Amino acid sequence: GVSVAERKFMHELVSLLDTTVSVRTTDGRVITGRLVGFEPRTLSICLWNARVEGGEGAGAEMPKLFLNGSAIMELWSAERPFDLRGLRDRIARAFGGYEHVRLLEDERVIIVAGRVKVSKEGVEGTGPLAERVRRIYEEFVKEWKAKQEKKEKG
């Protein structure tokens, strides 16, 4: 079986999918791009719109870059991950509990009442329920963005 620590490690890596990350390679280059995939055993990664920031080849840009996990010294997030758990909690409070609000961590979506889908991109669904969820989502995103800007300004 998989240990709790391994599961948490993978969860953290999955949370970085579709966000901007930077990696430092064993040869000293720093490469920034959108993390679109990784191979769990080797931790090899695929970056889209990769840009070499420092080291040899600085300034080079690649639409797609596959990096072998053994060439990666460190990887860090260049942006704050969207707080999907916080949004789930906010929706659950509005709907009187978690009974009809499910967070699917691997797909990074929240399902409300089995028919409204919420992700960091927005709300999918129609009708009064979807509209209510959309209002909660928009308020949450506005507050979340304001918090991010405050952190960036210091």
Side-chain angles (χ1 to χ4, degrees), residues 3 7 9-10 14 16-18 26-27 29 32 38 40 52 59-60 68 76 90 92 95-96 123 131 135 143:
S3 74
R7 205 170 26 255
F9 180 86
M10 275 302 146
V14 166
L16 294 177
L17 284 170
D18 294 318
T26 52
D27 63 6
R29 290 178 299 159
T32 299
F38 65 88
V52 180
N68 188 313
W76 64 93
R90 173 89 54 97
F95 285 91
V123 178
E131 288 310 310
R135 282 194 298 276
E143 291 170 13

Side-chain angles (χ1 to χ4, degrees), residues 14-30:
V14 166
S15 78
L16 294 177
L17 284 170
D18 294 318
T19 69
T20 301
V21 298
S22 294
V23 294
R24 184 180 321 280
T25 60
T26 52
D27 63 6
R29 290 178 299 159
V30 174

Side-chain angles (χ1 to χ4, degrees), residues 39-58:
E39 202 287 309
R41 284 187 331 268
T42 63
L43 294 180
S44 296
I45 63 171
C46 176
L47 300 177
W48 281 5
N49 301 320
R51 198 173 55 258
V52 180
E53 306 284 349
E56 192 178 323

